[in-house]
Every structure is written in structure tokens, then in C-alpha cells.
Amino acid sequence: MNQRHESNSDFDSFEELFATTRQTLEYWVEGAKNEFTEKTVLRMRELGISKSGLAALLDKKPSQITKLLSGSNNFTIETMVRVALALNCRFHSHLEPVGCQTHWIDVLEGASEAPGVSRDETAVTQDPNADFATAA
């Protein structure tokens, strides 16, 4: 999974370059960091919180928040949990089996169903012969 090529000229096409890149650990690590950063920034916008505001909530300097959201940060789980709590969220980590696609639905506590989604669409069943629960 950590095979590296010397230069982009080692590839015959962009598709080959991308397929090879997707096999590296660095690709998946950077993707996870970018996803967390994007969701953090989105939540900050939803709440109307600036970088300075997040810094105050975390008792950090604004420059530390800028670095945190720069995309070059190597987040610890503790940092991700602290950021989530500061943004009135919970942090969840998820292992997605290869070949599957995860879809998250946030349902307000006490609500009977997600907005615009019927209860039938969110039902989960367990096939006794399957390794994982599947949506009905």
C-alpha cells in the first residue's frame, strides 16, 4: 500500500495516477484530515462562529485555530473530540467496509424521523446471514 513512484511521468494516464495514489496510506490519512476540517468549518458557519470564536471556546490562540484548520494538522482524537464539543457536537468515528458507502442521517433527539425522510426509509434490519445491518 505504500508503493511510491518517482514522478508523475511514470504513469500513462491520470486515471492510472489516481488509482495508484488511492492505494497509499497518505491518500487516506489526508482524506480523513480534510473531511474533519471541512465538517468543522461547515459547523462553524452553521453556528456563526469565527476562528477567534472557536479559539475562545477552546481556550487557544487564534493562530492555533488557523493552523488547526489549515489542512496540515495531524489531529489527535482528543483534539477532534474537543473541537466537536466546542461546536455543540459529538465526535463519531466509523470504519466503512471496502465496497460500501456510508450515509449519515442526523435525527434530533425526541424526533420520530429525520426531516424529509419517512420512518420506512430509515428502518434497519439485520439479516442473520449477513455480517452487517442493512437499511430496509
Side-chain angles (χ1 to χ4, degrees):
M1 186 175 215
N2 284 324
Q3 181 183 8
R4 289 183 176 248
H5 287 267
E6 291 300 315
S7 71
N8 291 345
S9 63
D10 292 343
F11 301 99
D12 294 328
S13 67
F14 177 76
E15 290 79 16
E16 183 183 351
L17 170 65
F18 188 68
T20 301
T21 301
R22 285 182 58 110
Q23 295 176 21
T24 65
L25 176 63
E26 292 85 2
Y27 172 86
W28 296 102
V29 169
E30 291 304 315
K33 290 191 297 189
N34 287 337
E35 180 181 359
F36 182 78
T37 301
E38 288 172 8
K39 291 186 184 270
T40 298
V41 170
L42 178 63
R43 183 63 177 162
M44 289 170 64
R45 283 186 191 139
E46 289 171 355
L47 296 175
I49 296 175
S50 65
K51 290 179 187 178
S52 295
L54 183 58
L57 290 169
L58 294 171
D59 195 28
K60 301 289 182 187
K61 296 177 184 173
S63 62
Q64 291 174 294
I65 301 304
T66 298
K67 181 180 183 233
L68 184 82
L69 299 177
S70 70
S72 62
N73 189 50
N74 193 10
F75 296 104
T76 64
I77 290 177
E78 181 178 342
T79 298
M80 292 187 287
V81 170
R82 286 178 186 271
V83 169
L85 292 174
L87 297 174
N88 197 29
C89 292
R90 291 188 206 133
F91 174 76
H92 290 276
S93 180
H94 173 73
L95 298 178
E96 178 182 87
V98 173
C100 293
Q101 188 175 26
T102 300
H103 297 274
W104 293 86
I105 299 174
D106 294 332
V107 179
L108 292 173
E109 291 180 5
S112 60
E113 56 194 48
V117 179
S118 72
R119 200 156 204 37
D120 293 338
E121 291 178 278
T122 59
V124 174
T125 60
Q126 179 68 43
D127 178 345
N129 299 319
D131 292 331
F132 302 97
T134 56

